[in-house]
Amino acid sequence: MIRALPKNVVERIAAGEVIERPGSVVKELVENALDAGATRVDVRVDKGGREQIEVADDGAGITRGDLPLAFAAHATSKLEDVDDLLHIASFGFRGEALATIGAVSRARIVSRARGCVDGYAIGCEGGVVGDAEPAASPFGTRVTVRQLFFNTPARLKFLKSDPAEAARCLDHVIAAAIPADGVAFTCALDGRSVLNVPAAATRRERIAAAYGDTLARELIEVHRTLDGLHVDAFLAPPRLAKARSVHQDAFLNGRPITDAGVRAVVKQAYREFLAPQLQPAWFVFLGLDPADVDVNVHPAKREVRFRESQRVLRALHHVVLDALRGADLSARTDGAGAWTPSLPSRPFVAPPRAEASPRTETIVRTFGTAEAPTPASERSPPGECVREVAPLFPEDRPAVPAVPEIAPGRFVRAFDTYIVAPSGEDLVLIDQHALHERVLFEELRRDVLAGAVKRQRLLLPQMVEVGRSRMARFDEVAASADRLGLELTAFSPSTVAVHALPALLARARVGDLVEAVFDESRPLDAALHRDQRELEERLHTLACRGAVKAGDVLHDDEVMALLDAASRLPEAKACPHGRPTSVKIPRGDLDRWFKRTGF
Ligand code: ADP
Ligand code: MG
């Protein structure tokens, strides 16, 4: 039964604009379908949603008598009085979405309620509701919204390009589809199928359908109830963290939410494993008694208020941290977060030996020296003189010196990670990855700005899966990738084919480069013209992917070539991510360590 809400309830409901753009229409219609108990939801979006949005479901349907009320403001079947506001389990409850949509478009509902022999249709154009008339319909409801904002041209002006609006629409479908266990979803953009989630899909399979198998396969999964909070979490291992925005989605009782507290707490839990500028992907599903939540804070209902937010957030932090600590992080490789953000200022200790496996390193970073068992490398083996020596990085010396001149051939390589060489009165240690990244970055920037990136063609195109959601932005991304020398074509609704890559980055894994260009939220062209720093950040990411890694075996002539290129750099003080490229140990310090001077 749809009823008009009593005035006092209306007043208690936060007012606000519900329909800002095509994506908002998709969101409201999909939520209505789920509220109606649908087990399948089919979404079509044409021309970014400007032309037409259609959402069809197999839910409870709307009876003939209720149809005219569906477009009426503050009419809802989901809420009767003020008390109900305190325990809302459905998505909708304000009864204003369809009214608002009907006011700014040419909308039509065709529906057949369960158990009814006939279906009925009703239209609404610019707020004028027509009469209900019989129409053939399967069980369920189909809402079609055409020419959105036809009577509010100012609104139209604020819309982005069709692909950008379409991508937002798809994001809303995905946000609804991921937590909706047991519900099948499809989405087509301009007739092209971009999402297909069967009803039986698991959470992980839903994440895979939306964002690609590569990420979904690696997610650390945890299910736990703590302090009245149920948490189902899917957490990317830290080594997959990115320097750019990634999917970090929180859901509360099946509803996507944006909550600063939740984000902060998950970030905090990852902090022990990650450099601060790296972003891990995560999907966190929270289950909480609806009485402990106030969802009515935000017009689009994405913000919630926990009644006992401290308790909830503490429990969440605990669950995520435990999961990360318990997961096997030892497989991680160089790069993503495997370094400490600031240079150590503790006394020099003997370099790690064989015991200092990656696992040990993880433990050190995870628990901090206070809680951790002292790693072997920090214990003082009997007879080794490790105390009372000068700090390795005294405060008064620049911690990140430029790469100094090294005579040809006078270096050794250590641990396939560092280059060690005397230079003047210093002993120099160079991080091969950091330095190569810097070199690539400078050369790439020069070539991109000159519009002269050299390409290397692939004999056979290489396929890279990027996920359906990101494919919605394909045209935009491909155009800007092309400026970088990365040639892409669309191969399938979730896969790109790579035909050429920038010659400078020929060493990179093709998949990593594609990831990097799809990660960017704005097209490179815009970055080029708008913001020098943004361009640089992107080139940093690419350079990082293309650079040799710690552990890569380099030949002497490769080291020579690297040092040679570095010597021509304008400034090679730090790798673009802020790590030092080299560290100098003055000969005087060595002499003091060996008690040659100073007493
Ligand atoms: P709300 O969802 O806040 O109740 P809406 O304006 O979105 O408000 O919808 C108004 C009413 O129309 C709903 O309360 C519901 O009864 C009915 N309705 C809308 N969409 C559907 C649907 N897909 N299936 C069944 N009923 C629907
Ligand atoms: Mg609704």
Side-chain angles (χ1 to χ4, degrees), residues 2 32-33 36 57 61-62 75-78 92-98 141:
I2 304 185
N32 280 349
D57 68 59
I62 308 173
T76 177
S77 56
K78 300 165 195 170
F93 52 84
R94 299 194 179 94
E96 63 183 333
L98 281 179
T141 305

Side-chain angles (χ1 to χ4, degrees), residues 28 31-32 35 78 92-93 97 301:
E28 294 294 338
E31 289 184 354
N32 280 349
D35 281 347
K78 300 165 195 170
F93 52 84
K301 291 171 268 172

Side-chain angles (χ1 to χ4, degrees), residues 442-462:
E442 293 292 351
E443 293 180 346
L444 207 54
R445 176 166 64 176
R446 185 196 58 207
D447 290 355
V448 168
L449 290 176
V453 180
K454 286 169 220 77
R455 293 163 191 237
Q456 175 161 321
R457 310 222 127 257
L458 300 177
L459 282 177
L460 292 174
Q462 188 165 331

Side-chain angles (χ1 to χ4, degrees), residues 53-292:
I53 295 166
E54 185 172 270
V55 176
D57 68 59
D58 64 351
I62 308 173
T63 60
R64 185 202 163 131
D66 276 351
L67 258 189
L69 275 175
F71 282 123
H74 296 302
T76 177
S77 56
K78 300 165 195 170
L79 193 68
E80 224 165 314
D81 61 28
V82 167
D83 282 352
D84 285 349
L85 268 178
L86 299 180
H87 33 84
I88 288 160
S90 58
F91 288 101
F93 52 84
R94 299 194 179 94
E96 63 183 333
L98 281 179
T100 312
I101 291 168
V104 295
S105 70
R106 303 182 211 276
R108 185 176 155 86
I109 303 174
V110 182
S111 189
R112 181 172 158 207
R114 244 174 238 145
C116 290
V117 181
D118 297 311
Y120 292 89
I122 194 166
C124 180
E125 292 213 358
V128 181
V129 186
D131 293 326
E133 52 196 41
S137 170
F139 286 123
T141 305
R142 171 185 306 264
V143 182
T144 311
V145 176
R146 302 182 52 215
Q147 277 121 47
L148 183 64
F149 301 138
F150 77 96
N151 54 356
T152 53
R155 265 295 158 73
L156 276 179
K157 283 205 202 103
F158 284 103
L159 299 188
K160 301 233 163 70
S161 67
D162 286 359
E165 293 296 340
R168 286 192 189 216
C169 292
L170 178 57
D171 282 343
H172 284 292
V173 181
I174 286 172
I178 288 182
D181 295 331
V183 184
F185 276 84
T186 65
C187 181
L189 304 178
D190 293 321
R192 195 160 47 108
S193 162
V194 293
L195 183 76
N196 188 353
V197 179
T202 61
R203 289 265 163 91
R204 191 186 287 270
E205 283 161 353
R206 285 165 189 268
I207 294 170
Y211 301 129
D213 281 337
T214 325
L215 170 67
R217 213 178 316 139
E218 302 261 10
L219 295 171
I220 302 161
E221 189 170 340
V222 57
H223 308 276
R224 235 176 112 179
T225 304
L226 192 69
D227 257 351
L229 176 75
H230 183 76
V231 181
D232 297 307
F234 295 82
L235 309 164
R239 77 193 139 77
L240 293 187
K242 306 263 169 62
R244 286 259 139 201
S245 66
V246 291
H247 299 291
Q248 299 181 330
D249 298 341
F251 303 87
L252 174 65
N253 295 342
R255 178 198 304 278
I257 56 165
T258 314
D259 186 81
V262 168
R263 299 181 76 84
V265 148
V266 178
K267 188 173 179 184
Q268 170 81 19
Y270 266 100
R271 264 250 298 274
E272 299 192 351
F273 308 88
L274 272 185
Q277 73 275 33
L278 291 176
Q279 299 283 344
W282 50 259
F283 305 85
V284 169
F285 305 85
L286 306 177
L288 205 57
D289 184 337
D292 285 342

